[in-house]
Amino acid sequence: MKIDSFIKESVINLEPYTPVEIEQDTNVLKLDANESNYILNKSLKKKYADFIKGTLINLYPDSDNKRLIKLLENHYSAKSDNFIFGNGSDELISIILASLKRDVIVNIPYPTFSMYEIIAKFNELKVNNIELLKDSFELPSDILNQDATDIACDKRLNGYDSEKTEKCCRQKNIYFFAYPNNPTGNHFSSDMLLNLLGSKNNIVVIDEAYLMFSNKESFIKYLNKYENLIVLKTFSKIGLAGLRFGMLFAGAQLINEFKKIKLPYNINSLTLASMEFFLNNYKFFEKNIHKTVVQRDKLFLKLKKLNFINVYKSDANFIFFGLSNKDIKSAFDVFLKKHNVAIRNFTGLFENFYRITVGLPSENDKIIEYFKEFDSIN
Ligand SMILES: Cc1ncc(COP(=O)(O)O)c(C=O)c1O
């Protein structure tokens, strides 16, 4: 049997998303996936267990649970007509991309969160990588002049090439921006993002997975103004990655379309009950977010003192850095392995770059101790 003949070429050609390999039962310093390493304290754990033990797992989950909806409306100052839930925001990215016509171009910064491109590709959509500016990792200013926007079309009208103008005015685009960006840790200019939202040819997705670690405001406040805006949220980065709960916010028209392809019961009953419990106990997470931000800034200053890396300022719960000398890459990789340190590395143009999640104070101290050792021998 030739399985290949059944499978879409767009799937066959794909490289799967590969989490950093971690051997079970080793004492790994796990700082690769931007999770939170703060765990529930004893009393909260007990209250949590008491709360969820009444969950009726014999029934299908009830995503319309009024108490949960109210809590989320308050948490995000948004109306329930403007949001849907996803099994992590990954599922919501998948729903967005599955709904698009084949001729919509998927524009994503390079580098950014890899799932945008992976999911776009298996949906047979064309991907346009927008290379970020060197070192600042800002969007290039000519992003607004790309063929695809109608701002560019206006400009072309003056130059005059009627055929091209026609074509580019019809070109539809979707943009995905992680805000702050993963892995670079910076925010893109909100003016630029609003400019893109000003075009009827664009849908703009603002993925706020890490916004709680920064002092920038959410784009949720623009939902009433822009019907082409989508905002993504997740609870994965504050200590609830295992529950898989993400949210998509948009105007009524987009929500209505996404609801048609969202699988029924996509969020399981235990996750729904857990979310209700944790939103009622959100102070615990607020404290940990604050601790993470303090730790991030300390870690940044310490990393900056090392010679073997160039470190970039971050508004998220991770820090991006590059090796000052690419020849030490294999020695550094061996060193990380020897010390059981799991951090994210990259390929392509960024193969000498790494992203480290901000850990607990003791984990960050260990990292600095190890990195200082490597610095002294390189
Ligand atoms: C920018 C960004 N968006 C979305 C996600 C996925 O989040 P979730 O766990 O909610 O699927 C990640 C995870 O790393 C991310 O970095």
Side-chain angles (χ1 to χ4, degrees), residues 19 28 53 94 128 133 139 160 176 195 226 233 249 255 347:
V28 173
K53 75 180 174 208
S94 200
N128 173 40
L133 299 185
L139 290 167
Y160 224 85
F176 281 83
N195 245 318
Y226 298 106
K233 294 279 188 185
F249 297 77
I255 291 285
T347 52

Side-chain angles (χ1 to χ4, degrees), residues 176-193:
F176 281 83
F177 296 112
Y179 184 81
N181 189 36
N182 171 11
T184 53
N186 59 309
H187 290 90
F188 302 124
S189 139
S190 55
D191 285 347
M192 264 188 177
L193 306 184

Side-chain angles (χ1 to χ4, degrees), residues 52-173:
I52 58 164
K53 75 180 174 208
T55 309
L56 295 175
I57 55 168
N58 56 314
L59 303 180
Y60 280 111
D62 175 18
S63 286
D64 295 328
N65 171 335
K66 292 214 170 39
R67 290 182 309 273
L68 176 60
I69 299 271
K70 193 93 227 127
L71 284 163
L72 287 166
E73 283 186 330
N74 290 338
H75 192 75
Y76 289 117
S77 308
K79 287 256 151 42
S80 63
D81 300 345
N82 291 118
F83 57 72
I84 55 171
F85 304 155
N87 200 296
S89 40
D90 280 350
E91 188 191 24
L92 297 164
I93 296 165
S94 200
I95 287 173
I96 297 168
L97 290 166
S99 74
L100 298 177
K101 287 187 173 157
R102 291 274 174 83
D103 58 355
V104 178
I105 293 179
V106 181
N107 296 274
I108 52 178
Y110 177 75
T112 194
F113 179 48
S114 57
M115 290 313 292
Y116 306 141
E117 180 154 357
I118 294 175
I119 301 173
K121 285 195 167 156
F122 70 66
N123 280 289
E124 301 179 349
L125 293 162
K126 186 162 177 260
V127 173
N128 173 40
N129 280 298
I130 304 165
E131 209 172 296
L132 298 178
L133 299 185
K134 204 167 171 289
D135 291 337
S136 71
F137 301 121
E138 270 290 352
L139 290 167
S141 54
D142 65 357
I143 182 180
L144 300 176
N145 297 335
Q146 283 176 1
D147 278 2
T149 67
D150 45 24
I151 296 161
C153 290
D154 288 347
K155 282 194 178 155
R156 279 191 182 213
L157 276 172
N158 302 327
Y160 224 85
D161 178 343
S162 60
E163 212 175 278
K164 262 191 181 164
T165 305
E166 236 306 89
K167 191 163 164 261
C168 90
C169 289
R170 273 189 278 116
Q171 180 59 60
K172 302 288 179 225
N173 287 279

Side-chain angles (χ1 to χ4, degrees), residues 17 33-34 86-91 93 112-113 115-116 177-182 207-210 232-237 241 244-247 318 355:
Y17 177 88
N34 303 338
N87 200 296
S89 40
D90 280 350
E91 188 191 24
I93 296 165
T112 194
F113 179 48
M115 290 313 292
Y116 306 141
F177 296 112
Y179 184 81
N181 189 36
N182 171 11
D207 181 344
E208 299 184 351
Y210 302 98
L232 296 176
K233 294 279 188 185
T234 177
F235 285 81
S236 293
K237 309 300 169 185
R244 311 300 298 125
F245 189 79
M247 294 177 72
F318 53 81
R355 186 199 67 201

Side-chain angles (χ1 to χ4, degrees), residues 296-323:
R296 174 195 68 206
D297 295 343
K298 278 190 183 164
L299 183 63
F300 172 76
L301 292 176
K302 288 181 184 165
L303 290 173
K304 224 172 131 54
K305 289 197 184 131
L306 305 173
N307 292 315
F308 80 99
I309 51 175
N310 297 315
V311 192
Y312 299 91
K313 192 122 188 53
S314 168
D315 286 327
N317 67 341
F318 53 81
I319 294 178
F320 193 52
F321 63 87
L323 298 175

